[in-house]
Amino acid sequence: MNTEVSVLYFAKSAELTGLKAENITVPSNISSLQLWQHLETRHPSRLSVLRDQVVLALRQEYVPLGEQPLTLRDGDEVAVIPPLSGG
Amino acid sequence: MAADGGQDLITLTTDRLSADRVSESVTCPSCGAASLFIGTTRDNFEGKKVIRLKYEAYSPMAESELRKICHEIRTKWPSVRHINIQHRLGVVPITEASVVIGISSPHRRDSLEAVKYCIDTLKATVPIWKKEIYESGEPCWKENKECLWADAGKDPKQS
């Protein structure tokens, strides 16, 4: 089953994609790694430079890139999180 | 928030931060100690002159992560009374404060330890990003070494 979620881009990822946000439609039980790969496909040759230094956030909780299936719901907010530099 | 009325104050703002106001906000009659951390922006990095910093945040999540830090502080140091964490966003001129943390407690050890824990954990977990703009050369998104998904091998130093 497909779900529509919003993806927020921050810092370097926003510069690479030229976007602050976009909506995507993906299977609801996709893994975080598959979701990342989907985003890479949407922005060819742009996001891949971040691949080893990025995590996602789903519903404001961090999710590393991995095989574990997420359980996406319509309207969920996903964020691309490059390495942090607060403080 | 502590059971006895201790407050967690969390602010993300583009306004200039005031260490005095943070310090005043955490004082209380039963506390013998208020500890303060002020993080300021340096004017140089690896020989390059930094002319400006720009901070960006995933604001709702930054606030929720800061609340988690306050909760962890109160679990580890139950005597802590008030916590005030302020982080500036947007453009921050050199030498101005980007973060101010104030924590009060009856005796000094707890507030000192809690402030250290607070800034260390903030750097590792709060979704805020800093971009350094140099006098010459490309701007650079910084990476905290505390952040688990930073590439420590490629980009040493930080903070």
Side-chain angles (χ1 to χ4, degrees):
Chain A
M1 193 177 88
N2 281 343
T3 51
E4 193 187 10
V5 302
S6 59
V7 179
L8 305 182
Y9 294 97
F10 291 99
K12 183 113 186 167
S13 70
E15 287 180 352
L16 290 168
T17 57
L19 292 176
K20 297 270 183 199
E22 62 178 340
N23 290 335
I24 62 172
T25 301
V26 288
S28 59
N29 62 348
I30 198 172
S31 75
S32 56
L33 181 57
Q34 287 169 325
L35 181 48
W36 172 256
Q37 287 163 344
H38 180 85
L39 297 178
E40 278 195 25
T41 308
R42 288 177 70 83
H43 303 281
S45 312
R46 289 176 188 265
L47 283 179
S48 50
V49 65
L50 288 179
R51 186 188 303 146
D52 295 330
Q53 302 163 63
V54 76
V55 300
L56 301 177
L58 170 61
R59 301 188 288 268
Q60 299 181 18
E61 296 287 338
Y62 292 117
V63 181
L65 301 190
E67 312 287 337
Q68 192 88 9
L70 307 168
T71 315
L72 298 178
R73 308 191 285 247
D74 273 331
D76 270 347
E77 187 171 274
V78 173
V80 174
I81 310 280
L84 307 178
S85 41
Chain B
M1 170 93 73
D4 61 352
Q7 281 204 298
D8 297 335
L9 296 170
I10 290 167
T11 308
L12 303 176
T13 178
T14 53
D15 292 340
R16 191 166 178 171
L17 304 183
S18 165
D20 278 348
R21 282 202 302 268
V22 170
S23 173
E24 281 164 23
S25 72
V26 300
T27 57
C28 70
S30 61
C31 290
S35 299
L36 212 63
F37 172 79
I38 306 166
T40 54
T41 58
R42 280 176 291 171
D43 67 357
N44 72 90
F45 169 62
E46 282 182 354
K48 290 183 286 192
K49 188 170 170 198
V50 180
I51 56 173
R52 195 162 57 247
L53 286 96
K54 201 158 185 295
Y55 284 89
E56 183 178 318
Y58 181 12
S59 292
M61 188 174 175
E63 288 187 19
S64 70
E65 289 296 314
L66 288 168
R67 289 202 189 283
K68 285 182 196 171
I69 292 173
C70 291
H71 181 80
E72 285 157 20
I73 286 171
R74 293 187 183 283
T75 302
K76 292 176 187 303
W77 296 279
S79 80
V80 157
R81 182 77 178 159
H82 298 311
I83 303 171
N84 191 337
I85 306 169
Q86 297 194 347
H87 202 300
R88 195 160 168 194
L89 301 179
V91 173
V92 182
I94 298 301
T95 75
E96 290 191 18
S98 47
V99 61
V100 181
I101 298 168
I103 299 182
S104 54
S105 60
H107 303 286
R108 68 184 184 280
R109 183 163 70 184
D110 285 358
S111 71
L112 284 168
E113 290 180 356
V115 165
K116 180 178 190 310
Y117 174 85
C118 188
I119 184 62
D120 289 347
T121 310
L122 185 160
K123 284 183 172 291
T125 66
V126 176
I128 294 176
W129 297 270
K130 173 170 82 176
K131 186 172 181 180
E132 278 181 352
I133 292 121
Y134 305 108
E135 192 172 50
S136 57
E138 285 301 299
C140 175
W141 287 103
K142 306 304 295 189
E143 300 182 5
N144 290 344
K145 62 185 187 309
E146 296 87 347
C147 175
L148 291 179
W149 56 97
D151 185 359
K154 179 194 70 173
D155 203 36
K157 98 357 257 153
Q158 220 330 45
S159 317

